[in-house]
Structures are given as C-alpha cells and as structure tokens.
Amino acid sequence: MARLHLFDLDGTLMRGSAAPVEISRQLGLLSEIGELERELSTGRIGPPEYAVRVHALWSGLTEVHVANAFATAPWLTGIQDVWREIRERGDYCAVISLSPSFFVERLLAWGAHAAHGSVFPDVPFTRPVDPAGILSPAAKVSVMNRLCAEFGVGPRSCVAYGDSMSDVDLFAAVPVSVAVNADHHLAGLATHTYTGGDLREAYALVRAAG
C-alpha cells in the first residue's frame, strides 16, 4: 500500500526558523515577530489571535517580500530529492503547517502533492484574516484524514515529520514519526530522531526501517 509522508514546515523543513520569522525579516520586523512567537509558544495567545496580529503587523507585505523570504529561508538540503523519490516509489508527500497558506503553497512547486497552511487573504492584504481558517495543532490530524481520503491511503500508512509541540497530535495519530531537529516536546514520542541539515538523511531512517 502507498504511504503518505506528512511534513511540518517551521523548524522541520526550515531549520531554526519559521515562515513568519523569514517574512518579518524582509520587513525589518524581527523583534516584533519574536515577541508574538514567544506569546504563542508560551500559550499566552492561540493560533487565531496570533494570525490576526501577524496580519496587522504585515500591513506593508508584498509578493516580492514573500518571494525573497522563501528564497532566502534556511531550508534543509535535499527536500526536492526526497519528494522526487517519494513520488517515484508511488507514495505521496504533503506539507501541513500552521504558517500562512500563501507561503506554504509555494512548496507545491518543489514536488509536494499537497500543501496546507492557515488560510490568509492574498498579498497584498486588502481583506482581514478570518480566524476560522487558521489551523491548530489538532487540525493537522483533520487535514491528514482529508488527504488520506483524497489519495486512498489509510492513516496507518502515514509517516509524520515534525519538530515541536504543534506536531504532538499528528505524531499520536500515525504509526511512524520522525522528530527533525526537535525540541523536548517530542522526546519519547517519535519513532526516529534526526538532527542535522539534510532531509535525505531523515527520510533514510524511514526507508531503512522498511
């Protein structure tokens, strides 16, 4: 049976950073996004409030900023190689991230079968963000289930790759998981653990286990 490989973005495909941080870097707003990230990580605000405040912070955002943020982000090496091999084996690969959809969906051009993020309005913003479209950690499991139905893959044939608390629910829902440059929240939860800068090495742990 085909497998569905599910990749987190922030801290996983992108080492030591996150899409909102890289976008804010282009706008000269690193200190501001840093404060919002701390509030989110400590539970002082949830994903919907975070999204509303980020949307306001990025009032001057343009497509050029987004493209530059994507191009200069600290991506792991070998992402496109891994996704090419997954496709060649008849398996599927998808990205599920709490980051803005307009950034996450750029990974479709790298070979992902699907890319789901929190739904933001088109850039430049002319509409408010709808909190109902913002993903939560638990929503990652709902997206996984939709993708399983779309691709005809059972949940027991899924593999999750993640790095932090936002991936705990997803790791609990799949039989195989890989903690990639992960923090303490995933300690003891993952099937495999990888520290490094090459996604090919993380993927090899799954391949070697069969």
Side-chain angles (χ1 to χ4, degrees):
M1 179 178 287
R3 272 179 156 178
L4 171 57
H5 296 259
L6 302 161
F7 296 88
D8 173 55
L9 191 162
D10 302 323
T12 304
L13 295 177
M14 188 186 295
R15 188 175 187 184
S17 192
V21 173
E22 296 306 312
I23 292 168
S24 297
R25 189 189 309 279
Q26 297 296 318
L27 294 164
L29 297 169
L30 281 179
S31 61
E32 290 85 349
I33 195 65
E35 177 59 30
L36 283 178
E37 290 282 324
R38 284 187 290 273
E39 291 189 43
L40 180 65
S41 65
T42 57
R44 290 164 58 191
I45 60 174
E49 182 179 350
Y50 173 86
V52 169
R53 291 173 63 180
V54 162
H55 177 273
L57 184 66
W58 293 342
S59 60
L61 187 63
T62 68
E63 278 291 343
V64 172
H65 291 126
V66 178
N68 287 341
F70 190 89
T72 60
W75 299 106
L76 293 191
T77 302
I79 294 172
Q80 295 181 64
D81 294 334
V82 169
W83 292 352
R84 185 181 306 112
E85 181 173 342
I86 287 172
R87 282 177 169 270
E88 290 173 351
R89 290 174 58 85
D91 292 337
Y92 300 94
C93 52
V95 181
I96 307 176
S97 172
L98 305 189
S99 278
S101 51
F102 61 76
F103 190 95
V104 179
E105 289 167 3
R106 287 175 173 263
L107 289 166
L108 292 170
W110 283 14
H113 286 92
H116 290 267
S118 292
V119 179
F120 270 65
D122 292 338
V123 176
F125 299 144
T126 58
R127 295 180 291 110
V129 64
D130 182 357
I134 304 306
L135 296 185
S136 65
K140 287 189 172 186
V141 179
S142 298
V143 174
M144 178 197 75
N145 289 332
R146 292 202 303 270
L147 291 173
C148 283
E150 179 180 345
F151 298 131
V153 175
R156 303 307 299 171
S157 296
C158 290
V159 182
Y161 302 73
D163 76 300
S164 67
M165 184 183 296
S166 70
D167 302 302
V168 169
D169 290 346
L170 190 59
F171 273 37
V174 302
V176 179
S177 56
V178 185
V180 180
N181 297 318
D183 63 23
H184 67 281
H185 294 105
L186 296 186
L189 298 179
T191 311
H192 308 286
T193 299
Y194 172 73
T195 301
D198 194 327
L199 188 63
R200 292 168 294 197
E201 296 171 354
Y203 175 64
L205 298 174
V206 177
R207 286 289 311 278

